Amino acid sequence: QVQLVESGGGLVQPGGSLRLSCAASGSIFGINAMGWYRQAPGKQRELVATISSDSSTNYANSVKGRFTISRDNAKNTVYLQMNSLKPEETAVYYCKLMGTYAHYWGQGTQVTVSP
């Protein structure tokens, strides 16, 4: 069993910054990539950013230049630095681990961008 524990969400003003963390533990046989997705009320879950085992990254166009994804392989942890946040980015942010045999999701962390 694999567990993903997210942290770092909260309330931030427009233009502010937050850093999300996601720590993976359990029976991890191999990690192909880790990533962050988000789901706003009434909308589908969407990709925010992913980082593969060779550290190559992929970002949604809407966050390029403002968000940075990184990982600590030794700790099986992925981070998402979010800068210049916008109100429309209010959502539940989910961590995803894409393993050798299965994919896993975290429970989500709420990010609210509001004055």
Side-chain angles (χ1 to χ4, degrees):
Q1 191 72 3
V2 174
Q3 295 82 38
L4 300 176
V5 178
E6 298 133 330
S7 61
L11 174 65
V12 64
Q13 293 186 343
S17 299
L18 281 176
R19 188 188 191 216
L20 305 182
S21 300
C22 172
S25 62
S27 301
I28 304 171
F29 295 100
I31 300 175
N32 294 329
M34 295 185 75
W36 290 95
Y37 292 71
R38 64 189 178 191
Q39 187 166 19
K43 295 188 177 181
Q44 289 188 330
R45 192 172 298 188
E46 63 176 3
L47 168 74
V48 177
T50 60
I51 183 166
S52 62
S53 57
D54 64 359
S55 296
S56 60
T57 58
N58 179 50
Y59 294 93
N61 287 333
S62 61
V63 307
K64 285 180 179 178
R66 298 185 298 117
F67 290 14
T68 303
I69 189 170
S70 60
R71 64 190 287 179
D72 183 333
N73 291 331
K75 296 181 179 179
N76 286 333
T77 298
V78 64
Y79 306 96
L80 184 68
Q81 177 67 42
M82 305 186 292
N83 298 328
S84 302
L85 281 160
K86 304 174 182 179
E88 55 265 37
E89 294 179 312
T90 294
V92 178
Y93 283 68
Y94 295 91
C95 174
K96 183 179 182 181
L97 185 154
M98 290 151 272
T100 301
Y101 302 111
H103 295 179
Y104 303 91
W105 290 93
Q107 80 285 355
T109 184
Q110 177 70 45
V111 171
T112 302
V113 186
S114 178

